[in-house]
Amino acid sequence: MASPSPSPSPSPSRLTRPPVPMKLHISNRQKLLSSLRRHLSDSSLPLHGFVFLQGGEEQTRYDTDHIELFRQESYFAYLFGVVEPGFYGAIDIASGKSILFAPRLPADYAVWLGEIKPLTYFKEKYKVSMVFYTDEIAEVLQNEYQESNKSLLFLLHGLNTDSDNYSKPAEFQGIDKFETDLTTLHPILTECRVIKSDLELALIQFANDISSEAHVEDQVGVFLLPCGDITVEMSFLNRHCSYTCICATGGNSSVLHYGHAAAPNDRTLQDGDMALLDMGAEYNFYGSDITCSFPVNGKFTSDQSLIYNAVLDAHNAVIAAMKPGVRWTDMHKLAEKIILESLRRGGILVGNVDDMMVERAGAVFMPHGLGHFLGIDTHDPGGYSKGMERPKEPGLKSLRTIRELQEGMVITVEPGCYFIDALLVPAMENSNTARFFNREAIRRFQGFGGVRIESDVHVTATGCKNLTSCPREVQEIEAVMAGAPWPPDKVSIYS
Amino acid sequence: MASPSPSPSPSPSRLTRPPVPMKLHISNRQKLLSSLRRHLSDSSLPLHGFVFLQGGEEQTRYDTDHIELFRQESYFAYLFGVVEPGFYGAIDIASGKSILFAPRLPADYAVWLGEIKPLTYFKEKYKVSMVFYTDEIAEVLQNEYQESNKSLLFLLHGLNTDSDNYSKPAEFQGIDKFETDLTTLHPILTECRVIKSDLELALIQFANDISSEAHVEDQVGVFLLPCGDITVEMSFLNRHCSYTCICATGGNSSVLHYGHAAAPNDRTLQDGDMALLDMGAEYNFYGSDITCSFPVNGKFTSDQSLIYNAVLDAHNAVIAAMKPGVRWTDMHKLAEKIILESLRRGGILVGNVDDMMVERAGAVFMPHGLGHFLGIDTHDPGGYSKGMERPKEPGLKSLRTIRELQEGMVITVEPGCYFIDALLVPAMENSNTARFFNREAIRRFQGFGGVRIESDVHVTATGCKNLTSCPREVQEIEAVMAGAPWPPDKVSIYS
Ligand SMILES: [Mn+2]
Ligand SMILES: [Mn+2]
């Protein structure tokens, strides 16, 4: 190689990528099989039929030939780990055999899109029992069922409680020859995804490690590129984000889902602004979801410390209390209470915090839920099991789960405190809550925006483990922004 | 601000963003109006009715609440410049008045997604005559037509000749009260998009300037992050790419549409590899589409120079010949011929180049078309006007346009030369073409991949102007990769 160019560059991560073992997807399938077989036995149903899923298809943008970046459908990714579009997958419930169906590619694919892989390639890559073409589905599945006239397919159909959308059951030419079951699979498979295996945890940990590092780089780099908050998206590559980055500064940080088309992360940084960066990488489908808040000029003002520490105390108290059996609604209320207490101590609120809790005043400052399951989806499914009802009260109704914690769950802890006119104005006018607000202090925080601190937390047998490792204390953030290494024991790469 | 951190960082661009004048979209509407009115007059039809378009909607990923990054539909962007989802737009053909219809947002949008803008905000932002809500469309359009019972809507419906998809005509509650015309608008509006105004050219030029700079940064940076070709995607941000980056090295560079899900830019760089980077930024909808090819170690071997110069000579000859009236098919053949001549001189091919042209041997090395219109879409529409037939011959059949050049067109010039087994093996077996190949030389280039050089070119009254400004000569690339400034007269920012 020629000698390196003299130009500076961001330092490459020294993290080593964990191997992506197909074992992970094999064990996901085994987990589903045990669970499904148990369910069928309990219902005195025969252990036969196929779990049958359709993978995602590539989409073009409107009428053009612009192909959107493909991401596999999450349930399909969970069971098969397939990265290519156009696949189907089946699992024989009796034998446990797994079958993939690959699209038959036209000959000129080899010219435009690369080598056409033989079926054996996919069998080897994805460690399944058999691979056929998608135009052979009906034939293959029927051959496996010599004994019965109509084979049974368990298709995926059910509600995503975050989007209110239903998953689309598989469709293929010849499906009318099969009996189909649309109700059994979805709740069972969703429940499998709620509890993470060690193999899954390793990937979520890695996604957290890269993302934590990228957040630290942004805190260092924010000085150097003071030309718009868009620049901080830089550490996150297109292909590897688990969701659209939220990069808000100043007043924008109180827009909870900032970063969409009408608010595209384009405000210019201003001295004195707080920044709120909500960004997470994904690795082999498994994601991270991390928020850091910090002053763009590297030094907290006392007002900024007040709000920041209110949120940090809530974040830390929740993590200290988390363990199996704890109810997530109680954790949400714990966070609210700590934030309200801090605001009262800081003179922003007045009166009795228990009274504030009764009037749901916490939801004025934190209208969103405390956190959500995290996995292959940023908002991983399963937050509401069958029969669980969504609360009606402000704040609580935004919870994406109300379940008791169980060992193996991964859930985000993301308390926040925001000054949102659309909530503050009515609350200060409402006769039940008006008395709690110190108007002068509230006026001081107009345009402040908000603070959120979000970590990804794994529930263990006896407590929990925080998978995220960003600077969190005020002094830590100020030190890192002044050039100190992170983690503190790391030798600086710049010195 | 606190003092800057000592860490290095990529240098920010010194390019100044051109203002994004709504004048551009106003003049796009005026152009459409003149053209449409002329057409109606010529057909002895009354000058009444509305041009009526539906903007794009946000999409979620499968059943989840993961919202895909929104990009406005291109025809709607052309006429109205609206960045937000969920809009409709109308233009009154008689008066020229323009009307936008904005979605009525729910009150809690203010909490989650930001301030709810009043209609006057959009009227001011997009410089239209009137703005209403989308639930008022039928009422508003009927009020404008007191004189007739049924008003006429010209809807967008027509074939995209690159994707073979049809654009989706607008739909709204109450459309059944209107007469609709599905055939008039599409060809006329598409033809407007083919010829670029000076305002459009300025944006395409800016997208080219940033992209050219980013390509140069990647050529410098490729030394520093030798951990996989994915890293070179870095200079291109998620939100600002006009298409999915193709970052291929080694043999992958002969995969023409490398970079998709099954080939995700993840090969590790190897000393001796050629890199082929096809990446373009977009700015206010208008894009760029640039390809650079270079050796990852910064020094061309003689084989690499041979192929690279064959392609560069074709690229330069085409640009030298381009002017209004020239047929694009002739430019394609010119590029083919120059490449074949170079390969013959380099001993890779043997025999008479005219004979090779008759046998379409050029398409073995360059199976894709020479270039395509560029604008709001990377493959901008209008390449085949009504009645034009796609050629059937190899290579020529891949042309996205076969039109004569006209002043104001922007078209990519992107000759390439690739060693693609799927084409070479049959061509060497075919009795018509076998004699042209020096098998030993071809064997030497197995796994070489390919070279493409792509510039964006504006056809002027008397010739053309290359909007792309990347190092192109072998010596220029080697110099830049060794640390020389680019453009050569620029004072190095690193010294
Ligand atoms: Mn989150
Ligand atoms: Mn192109």
Side-chain angles (χ1 to χ4, degrees):
Chain A
M1 305 273 279
S3 66
S5 133
S7 75
S9 89
S11 71
S13 168
R14 287 132 192 243
L15 300 167
T16 19
R17 300 185 183 196
V20 179
M22 274 305 138
K23 238 167 72 184
L24 180 150
H25 302 285
I26 294 172
S27 92
N28 289 351
R29 291 197 292 270
Q30 278 164 349
K31 187 173 173 187
L32 170 65
L33 273 175
S34 330
S35 188
L36 186 57
R37 285 174 183 160
R38 200 177 321 119
H39 170 86
L40 294 173
S41 301
D42 291 354
S43 320
S44 308
L45 289 167
L47 299 188
H48 91 183
F50 287 96
V51 168
F52 190 75
L53 267 74
Q54 180 171 5
E57 305 274 353
E58 259 176 348
Q59 304 291 331
T60 53
R61 187 197 274 166
Y62 308 109
D63 63 326
T64 72
D65 65 347
H66 175 108
I67 294 172
E68 304 288 1
L69 204 59
F70 175 74
R71 165 53 148 77
Q72 187 56 276
E73 193 281 323
S74 299
Y75 285 98
F76 197 81
Y78 179 79
L79 288 179
F80 298 102
V82 169
V83 298
E84 297 88 350
F87 276 65
Y88 289 76
I91 307 170
D92 184 338
I93 294 168
S95 69
K97 271 192 283 187
S98 52
I99 314 175
L100 277 177
F101 298 93
R104 203 185 286 271
L105 301 171
D108 70 351
Y109 181 100
V111 174
W112 301 95
L113 294 155
E115 192 195 334
I116 296 183
K117 307 289 184 6
L119 295 182
T120 49
Y121 167 86
F122 295 111
K123 181 169 183 302
E124 182 49 37
K125 177 174 180 189
Y126 293 121
K127 308 282 186 231
V128 288
S129 319
M130 290 174 281
V131 184
F132 299 93
Y133 287 113
T134 53
D135 52 25
E136 301 172 307
I137 294 174
E139 191 192 332
V140 168
L141 296 186
Q142 280 185 310
N143 287 348
E144 291 289 309
Y145 268 97
Q146 304 294 0
E147 80 275 12
S148 69
N149 285 331
K150 271 210 163 191
S151 321
L152 179 60
L153 302 182
F154 291 90
L155 305 181
L156 191 69
H157 178 66
L159 182 71
N160 180 303
T161 56
D162 289 309
S163 65
D164 270 337
N165 295 331
Y166 283 82
S167 51
K168 172 178 146 322
E171 286 170 6
F172 63 93
Q173 198 95 42
I175 195 169
D176 50 301
K177 292 179 193 134
F178 296 83
E179 266 184 71
T180 57
D181 174 314
L182 286 167
T183 56
T184 306
L185 180 60
H186 189 273
I188 293 174
L189 181 53
T190 299
E191 201 52 34
C192 289
R193 289 178 57 186
V194 170
I195 306 301
K196 270 69 180 177
S197 69
D198 289 347
L199 292 165
E200 291 179 286
L201 284 165
L203 299 188
I204 297 174
Q205 181 65 66
F206 179 67
N208 260 275
D209 291 344
I210 337 174
S211 304
S212 298
E213 200 175 77
H215 271 281
V216 170
E217 266 182 32
D218 277 345
Q219 284 167 31
V220 176
V222 75
F223 286 120
L224 300 161
L225 296 160
C227 51
D229 44 13
I230 189 66
T231 55
V232 292
E233 277 188 26
M234 259 200 153
S235 309
F236 283 82
L237 306 181
N238 194 342
R239 197 178 287 277
H240 301 282
C241 283
S242 42
Y243 53 96
T244 302
C245 297
I246 297 176
C247 306
T249 56
N252 292 334
S253 54
S254 66
V255 177
L256 302 178
H257 292 167
Y258 188 74
H260 56 100
N265 291 340
D266 59 356
R267 183 173 177 279
T268 299
L269 300 186
Q270 274 164 37
D271 194 12
D273 279 351
M274 283 293 286
L276 183 159
L277 305 194
D278 187 344
M279 310 186 296
E282 96 174 28
Y283 183 66
N284 190 54
F285 308 120
Y286 286 84
S288 58
D289 184 6
I290 298 177
T291 308
C292 292
S293 298
F294 56 91
V296 298
N297 68 7
K299 271 286 178 199
F300 284 83
T301 65
S302 65
D303 275 350
Q304 286 170 346
S305 293
L306 168 61
I307 305 304
Y308 185 85
N309 282 325
V311 176
L312 183 62
D313 289 348
H315 169 270
N316 293 346
V318 166
I319 291 175
M322 282 171 68
K323 63 179 180 190
V326 161
R327 287 200 309 186
W328 194 240
T329 37
D330 289 340
M331 292 296 96
H332 182 91
K333 288 179 191 161
L334 173 61
E336 279 182 335
K337 192 165 181 180
I338 289 177
I339 290 168
L340 291 172
E341 278 166 353
S342 300
L343 296 183
R344 200 182 65 90
R345 264 201 316 278
I348 297 169
L349 296 179
V350 284
N352 181 291
V353 168
D354 289 333
D355 294 348
M356 296 178 200
M357 289 295 288
V358 170
E359 300 295 346
R360 308 284 325 119
V364 174
F365 297 96
M366 181 172 85
H368 61 68
L370 175 64
H372 51 83
F373 293 148
L374 170 74
I376 294 186
D377 287 317
T378 305
H379 299 151
D380 225 28
Y384 288 83
S385 309
K386 215 185 156 183
M388 283 187 185
E389 265 199 51
R390 200 173 267 270
K392 305 252 178 310
E393 303 97 315
L396 295 170
K397 74 179 173 193
S398 304
L399 279 167
R400 294 178 184 276
T401 183
I402 55 167
R403 292 176 60 163
E404 275 186 12
L405 296 181
Q406 285 173 250
E407 183 181 355
M409 285 177 172
V410 173
I411 193 162
T412 66
V413 175
E414 48 176 312
C417 179
Y418 317 87
F419 292 83
I420 303 171
D421 289 344
L423 296 174
L424 276 167
V425 173
M428 290 194 292
E429 283 168 3
N430 184 318
S431 58
N432 294 327
T433 47
R435 65 195 147 116
F436 298 135
F437 297 91
N438 174 347
R439 270 135 222 281
E440 206 170 309
I442 294 286
R443 209 171 301 123
R444 202 170 80 232
F445 281 91
Q446 230 185 359
F448 175 91
V451 165
R452 176 164 66 253
I453 300 173
E454 177 176 26
S455 295
D456 303 340
V457 178
H458 164 216
V459 181
T460 60
T462 56
C464 71
K465 186 186 167 210
N466 187 346
L467 306 176
T468 305
S469 51
C470 294
R472 291 302 195 194
E473 298 292 332
V474 163
Q475 310 87 291
E476 288 171 347
I477 293 170
E478 292 186 343
V480 164
M481 292 186 76
W486 185 263
D489 54 6
K490 176 170 144 184
V491 178
S492 169
I493 47 175
Y494 304 128
S495 58
Chain B
M1 304 276 279
S3 66
S5 131
S7 75
S9 88
S11 71
S13 169
R14 286 125 189 251
L15 300 168
T16 21
R17 298 186 185 197
V20 179
M22 272 306 139
K23 240 169 69 188
L24 180 149
H25 301 285
I26 293 173
S27 91
N28 289 351
R29 291 198 291 271
Q30 280 164 347
K31 186 173 172 187
L32 170 65
L33 273 175
S34 331
S35 186
L36 186 56
R37 284 174 184 160
R38 199 177 321 122
H39 170 87
L40 293 173
S41 300
D42 291 353
S43 320
S44 309
L45 290 166
L47 299 189
H48 91 182
F50 287 95
V51 168
F52 190 75
L53 267 73
Q54 180 170 4
E57 306 273 354
E58 260 175 350
Q59 306 290 334
T60 52
R61 188 197 276 167
Y62 307 110
D63 63 326
T64 72
D65 66 347
H66 175 107
I67 295 173
E68 302 289 0
L69 202 59
F70 174 73
R71 164 52 148 75
Q72 187 56 274
E73 192 281 322
S74 299
Y75 285 97
F76 197 80
Y78 179 80
L79 288 179
F80 298 102
V82 169
V83 298
E84 296 88 352
F87 276 64
Y88 288 77
I91 307 170
D92 184 338
I93 293 167
S95 70
K97 272 194 282 187
S98 52
I99 314 174
L100 276 177
F101 298 93
R104 204 184 284 273
L105 301 170
D108 70 351
Y109 181 98
V111 174
W112 301 96
L113 294 155
E115 193 196 333
I116 296 183
K117 307 286 181 17
L119 295 183
T120 49
Y121 167 86
F122 294 112
K123 182 170 182 301
E124 184 48 40
K125 178 173 181 191
Y126 294 121
K127 308 282 186 233
V128 288
S129 318
M130 292 175 281
V131 183
F132 299 94
Y133 288 112
T134 52
D135 52 24
E136 301 170 309
I137 294 174
E139 194 191 331
V140 168
L141 295 186
Q142 280 186 309
N143 286 348
E144 292 288 310
Y145 270 96
Q146 303 296 359
E147 79 276 9
S148 69
N149 286 331
K150 271 212 161 187
S151 321
L152 179 59
L153 303 182
F154 290 90
L155 305 181
L156 192 69
H157 178 66
L159 181 71
N160 181 303
T161 54
D162 289 310
S163 66
D164 270 337
N165 294 332
Y166 283 83
S167 50
K168 171 178 144 327
E171 287 171 4
F172 63 94
Q173 198 94 41
I175 195 169
D176 48 303
K177 293 180 194 132
F178 296 83
E179 268 183 68
T180 56
D181 173 314
L182 286 167
T183 54
T184 306
L185 181 60
H186 190 273
I188 293 174
L189 182 52
T190 299
E191 201 53 33
C192 289
R193 289 178 59 188
V194 170
I195 305 300
K196 270 68 179 179
S197 70
D198 288 347
L199 292 165
E200 291 179 285
L201 284 166
L203 300 187
I204 297 174
Q205 180 65 67
F206 180 66
N208 259 275
D209 291 344
I210 339 173
S211 305
S212 297
E213 202 174 76
H215 271 281
V216 171
E217 266 181 33
D218 277 346
Q219 284 168 31
V220 177
V222 75
F223 286 120
L224 301 160
L225 296 160
C227 51
D229 45 11
I230 188 67
T231 55
V232 292
E233 274 188 30
M234 261 200 148
S235 309
F236 284 80
L237 306 181
N238 194 340
R239 197 179 288 277
H240 301 282
C241 282
S242 42
Y243 53 95
T244 303
C245 297
I246 298 175
C247 307
T249 56
N252 292 333
S253 54
S254 67
V255 178
L256 302 179
H257 292 167
Y258 189 73
H260 57 99
N265 290 339
D266 60 356
R267 184 171 177 278
T268 299
L269 300 186
Q270 273 163 36
D271 193 11
D273 278 352
M274 282 294 286
L276 182 159
L277 304 193
D278 186 345
M279 311 188 297
E282 97 174 28
Y283 182 66
N284 188 57
F285 307 121
Y286 286 85
S288 58
D289 184 6
I290 298 177
T291 307
C292 292
S293 298
F294 56 90
V296 299
N297 68 7
K299 272 284 178 200
F300 284 82
T301 65
S302 64
D303 274 349
Q304 286 170 344
S305 295
L306 168 62
I307 305 304
Y308 185 84
N309 282 325
V311 177
L312 182 62
D313 289 348
H315 169 270
N316 293 348
V318 166
I319 291 176
M322 281 171 68
K323 63 179 180 188
V326 161
R327 287 200 310 188
W328 194 239
T329 35
D330 289 339
M331 293 296 95
H332 181 91
K333 288 180 193 160
L334 172 63
E336 278 182 335
K337 192 165 181 180
I338 290 177
I339 291 168
L340 291 172
E341 278 166 354
S342 300
L343 297 183
R344 199 182 65 92
R345 264 200 315 277
I348 297 169
L349 295 180
V350 283
N352 180 290
V353 169
D354 289 330
D355 293 347
M356 296 178 199
M357 289 294 288
V358 170
E359 300 296 346
R360 308 284 326 120
V364 174
F365 297 96
M366 181 172 83
H368 61 68
L370 175 64
H372 51 82
F373 293 149
L374 170 75
I376 294 186
D377 288 317
T378 304
H379 299 151
D380 226 29
Y384 288 81
S385 309
K386 215 184 153 183
M388 282 186 186
E389 265 200 51
R390 199 174 268 272
K392 306 251 179 311
E393 303 95 316
L396 296 170
K397 73 179 175 193
S398 304
L399 279 167
R400 294 176 184 276
T401 183
I402 54 166
R403 291 176 61 164
E404 274 186 13
L405 297 181
Q406 286 173 249
E407 183 180 356
M409 285 176 171
V410 173
I411 193 162
T412 65
V413 174
E414 48 177 309
C417 179
Y418 316 88
F419 292 82
I420 303 170
D421 289 343
L423 296 174
L424 276 169
V425 173
M428 290 194 291
E429 281 167 4
N430 183 317
S431 58
N432 294 326
T433 47
R435 64 196 147 118
F436 298 135
F437 299 91
N438 173 347
R439 269 132 222 282
E440 204 169 311
I442 295 285
R443 209 171 300 122
R444 202 169 82 230
F445 281 91
Q446 229 187 0
F448 175 91
V451 164
R452 178 164 65 252
I453 300 174
E454 177 177 27
S455 295
D456 303 341
V457 178
H458 163 216
V459 181
T460 60
T462 55
C464 70
K465 186 185 166 212
N466 188 346
L467 307 174
T468 306
S469 51
C470 293
R472 292 303 196 194
E473 298 292 331
V474 162
Q475 309 88 292
E476 288 171 346
I477 293 170
E478 292 186 345
V480 163
M481 293 187 76
W486 185 264
D489 54 5
K490 178 169 142 186
V491 179
S492 170
I493 48 176
Y494 303 128
S495 61

